[in-house]
Amino acid sequence: MKKTSMALGSGGARGLAHIGILRALQDSGDYQISSIAGSSIGALVGGLYAAGKMDDYADWVSELSLGEIWKLLDFSYSRVGLFKGDRIMDRLAELVGDTQIDDLNMPFSAVATDIQKREEVWITQGSMFEAIRASIAIPGFFTPVRRNGRLLVDGGLLSPLPMTPLLYHDAEFNVVVSLNGNAHQPEPKKPVPDEADPQDEPSNKLLQWFQQTRQSLGFENESQSNSNSVVDIFAQSVEAMQDRIARYQLAAFEPDLLIEVPVDACGILDFHRGKEMIDLGYELTLEALKNKG
């Protein structure tokens, strides 16, 4: 088995494909994943894998509905981010516990961005959840994290493909996963909204408000070509920036295996499509391994 180092990229809900990719490499029997570097969602999935808790997370996220996702988003009522992210992190803590990076059985790096110094930051020690929380702090959505005097936000801003840490990992084989691959997937079907219990009037009102809010922000059209929606404009802006940076990163670092998840596989906030993304990641990995020969 080849000692394999993974670089798991950023890209919102498409990053759930990382789960299927890691499973496919493991199931092949040819690769021993010995170290991981992750940016944003890549840090989340990679950290859980390194802690031996990825399957628990996969089971949970595969069952998430739109309504359940909404309940996890806690408004911050501040000027630095729409959501605090505490509910999501609390839920993850229930699933995997407060793991320390130092106690993992493999090197792990969560990549974040120091927004004030405009520097890429590798978090390789301390609380894994603090590291993940910093790496997924999308500016404008989640409040930044203060750590060791730094103000940290999403790692994908400066490093959508966290490949540089792999240079310091003792591995025979390097795998890089990009979540901004060429669009070639057929247009996905519009998700069917969850139905609330008709006897539960508060739930019905919450669901109606939730759906109206999604529509006003453009969430309902996030996975489709609606250039006028707030979310779509934000997503396309981030993806354009990350695609350009990723091209430079790949020009400087040629991995042994590159797995690309199509940018149109799902919207960056479509976390209710977890099972679909996990299956896609598995299939793409089998295809990439076959093509490599």
Side-chain angles (χ1 to χ4, degrees):
M1 293 176 65
K2 295 179 180 179
K3 290 182 63 178
T4 302
S5 189
M6 305 288 302
L8 305 181
S10 63
R14 290 192 300 279
L16 297 176
H18 289 318
I19 297 172
I21 290 167
L22 289 164
R23 284 177 172 174
L25 289 171
Q26 196 171 36
D27 290 349
S28 73
D30 296 326
Y31 304 93
Q32 176 193 354
I33 299 173
S34 58
S35 60
I36 296 177
S39 185
S40 196
I41 184 67
L44 171 59
V45 174
L48 295 177
Y49 180 89
K53 300 293 184 177
M54 185 185 74
D55 289 340
D56 294 337
Y57 174 72
D59 291 341
W60 173 60
V61 79
S62 294
E63 300 298 326
L64 280 179
S65 66
L66 286 173
E68 288 169 331
I69 293 171
W70 186 252
K71 291 176 183 177
L72 288 170
L73 298 176
D74 45 352
F75 284 99
S76 68
Y77 301 103
S78 73
R79 293 180 297 176
V80 294
L82 288 175
F83 310 105
K84 291 183 291 185
D86 292 344
R87 290 179 187 170
I88 295 174
M89 285 298 110
D90 288 345
R91 180 56 181 142
L92 287 173
E94 293 175 9
L95 287 168
V96 304
D98 189 13
T99 304
Q100 297 294 307
I101 296 175
D102 313 67
D103 297 331
L104 299 176
N105 60 4
M106 67 175 68
F108 170 72
S109 302
V111 178
T113 299
D114 184 327
I115 196 65
Q116 294 173 324
K117 295 183 178 180
R118 303 179 183 180
E119 293 177 348
E120 180 180 331
V121 177
W122 303 351
I123 304 176
T124 59
Q125 294 179 320
S127 168
M128 186 178 77
F129 282 96
E130 185 179 85
I132 292 172
R133 174 68 180 82
S135 189
I136 66 172
I138 303 173
F141 276 78
F142 293 111
T143 53
V145 172
R146 286 202 173 274
R147 185 178 189 274
N148 297 333
R150 292 177 177 266
L151 189 64
L152 303 179
V153 296
D154 195 290
L157 287 182
L158 295 183
S159 186
L161 294 181
M163 298 184 292
T164 308
L166 303 191
L167 298 174
Y168 300 89
H169 296 170
D170 181 21
E172 305 170 65
F173 197 79
N174 293 316
V175 177
V176 172
V177 182
S178 170
L179 303 180
N180 290 286
N182 293 331
H184 65 261
Q185 294 292 102
E187 185 174 303
K189 295 181 180 179
K190 187 175 181 179
V192 179
D194 301 318
E195 294 184 0
D197 185 343
Q199 297 182 352
D200 188 351
E201 185 176 352
S203 293
N204 274 320
K205 289 182 178 179
L206 177 62
L207 181 58
Q208 290 172 5
W209 176 75
F210 165 60
Q211 291 172 343
Q212 290 171 358
T213 303
R214 283 178 57 85
Q215 290 171 355
S216 66
L217 290 176
F219 277 46
E220 293 296 339
N221 298 310
E222 182 188 346
S223 299
Q224 303 183 27
S225 299
N226 176 11
S227 59
N228 294 320
S229 76
V230 173
V231 170
D232 200 64
I233 291 173
F234 172 80
Q236 290 184 22
S237 299
V238 171
E239 286 161 356
M241 175 190 70
Q242 292 184 339
D243 180 66
R244 178 60 60 90
I245 296 174
R247 289 175 185 272
Y248 287 123
Q249 290 181 305
L250 285 170
F253 183 100
E254 184 177 353
D256 297 300
L257 181 66
L258 174 64
I259 301 173
E260 295 184 286
V261 178
V263 71
D264 62 342
C266 77
I268 63 172
L269 298 177
D270 285 348
F271 284 92
H272 57 288
R273 297 172 63 185
K275 187 177 186 305
E276 178 185 344
M277 289 301 101
I278 293 171
D279 291 344
L280 175 62
Y282 199 98
E283 294 170 4
L284 290 172
T285 304
L286 295 182
E287 181 181 348
L289 293 174
K290 180 181 178 180
N291 292 337
K292 186 171 180 59

